[in-house]
Amino acid sequence: MFKRLSALFATPIRVKVLAYTFRSPAGGTVQECAQVAGASAPLVMKEFNALAKTGIITYRIVGGRKSYVPNPVHAMAPAVAALLAAFAPTDAEITKIFAPARGIQLLIITGMLAGDDRNRADLLIVARNPSDKAIVRSVKQLERAMSIPLRYALMTREDYDARRQGADRLIRDTFEYPHRVLIERSAA
């Protein structure tokens, strides 16, 4: 048992690669994972190969490139998925990641972050200054913590209000699908 567990969780990068694979239902390439994991492509390839050797992940060819996906028939796949879900950042940790971005008026987690990948975005961010580099740094930090690329919408309060009144699909989906409001501040 311990030998199998150590094969799955042998290095911090391997854990990130495993998390990336299980949290990206469509799969992903070495380059995509390396970017999110903050590691070199050769190191990520080594970890993908080690995980594929255990059978917990497999790959398929998409557009001439290998795309790694979880092996759903592997005996440990459900347990690994549950373990990774249990160690996802909490709402408080996500809020702390976004603390340096002072102008955020509304931060909603949805999509993958809310456990439902039907929404087209994982984060909805309304800010006084959407071009604030601290917001993008916070998103990148959360991507590294989650080991997945995040889909997010970033807009001003005026744009958000207009979209909400106009029944914009992205805004509507955000509130119809599972979501959690982490930051909500007045427009003043």
Side-chain angles (χ1 to χ4, degrees):
M1 174 178 89
F2 293 112
K3 189 174 183 178
R4 288 188 298 165
L5 283 173
S6 66
L8 295 177
F9 303 109
T11 68
I13 295 298
R14 189 171 302 171
V15 173
K16 286 186 174 190
V17 168
L18 190 62
Y20 172 82
T21 306
F22 271 79
R23 290 178 178 153
S24 301
T29 66
V30 169
Q31 291 75 22
E32 293 165 345
C33 182
Q35 184 178 5
V36 173
S40 69
L43 180 57
V44 169
M45 175 58 103
K46 176 184 166 192
E47 300 300 355
F48 268 130
N49 288 336
L51 289 166
K53 188 175 176 181
T54 69
I56 193 75
I57 66 171
T58 187
Y59 68 89
R60 57 182 176 224
I61 304 296
V62 177
R65 297 171 67 189
K66 278 187 181 179
S67 181
Y68 292 88
V69 294
N71 181 355
V73 299
H74 191 278
M76 292 175 48
V80 168
L83 181 67
L84 292 170
F87 282 94
T90 65
D91 290 357
E93 291 168 332
I94 294 171
T95 302
K96 186 176 178 180
I97 287 171
F98 281 89
R102 302 249 180 244
I104 293 179
Q105 298 171 320
L106 183 64
L107 176 64
I108 300 174
I109 61 173
T110 185
M112 295 285 292
L113 294 174
D116 185 345
D117 63 356
R118 291 177 293 173
N119 201 342
R120 293 180 287 163
D122 301 309
L123 289 166
L124 174 62
I125 306 166
V126 175
R128 278 192 287 275
N129 180 10
S131 61
D132 180 0
K133 293 185 185 338
I135 296 171
V136 175
R137 282 193 301 269
S138 296
V139 171
K140 296 297 178 196
Q141 184 179 348
L142 182 56
E143 286 179 331
R144 286 190 304 275
M146 292 290 299
S147 296
I148 56 169
L150 296 171
R151 304 161 298 172
Y152 65 98
L154 177 57
M155 61 191 73
T156 63
R157 173 64 75 169
E158 294 78 24
D159 190 24
Y160 170 76
D161 290 342
R163 286 171 170 242
R164 187 119 192 224
Q165 287 178 341
D168 178 82
R169 184 177 184 137
L170 173 70
I171 304 299
R172 189 182 71 232
D173 286 354
T174 297
F175 289 100
E176 285 183 4
Y177 293 125
H179 67 280
R180 293 189 304 280
V181 177
L182 301 188
I183 298 172
E184 187 169 20
R185 297 185 184 118
S186 67

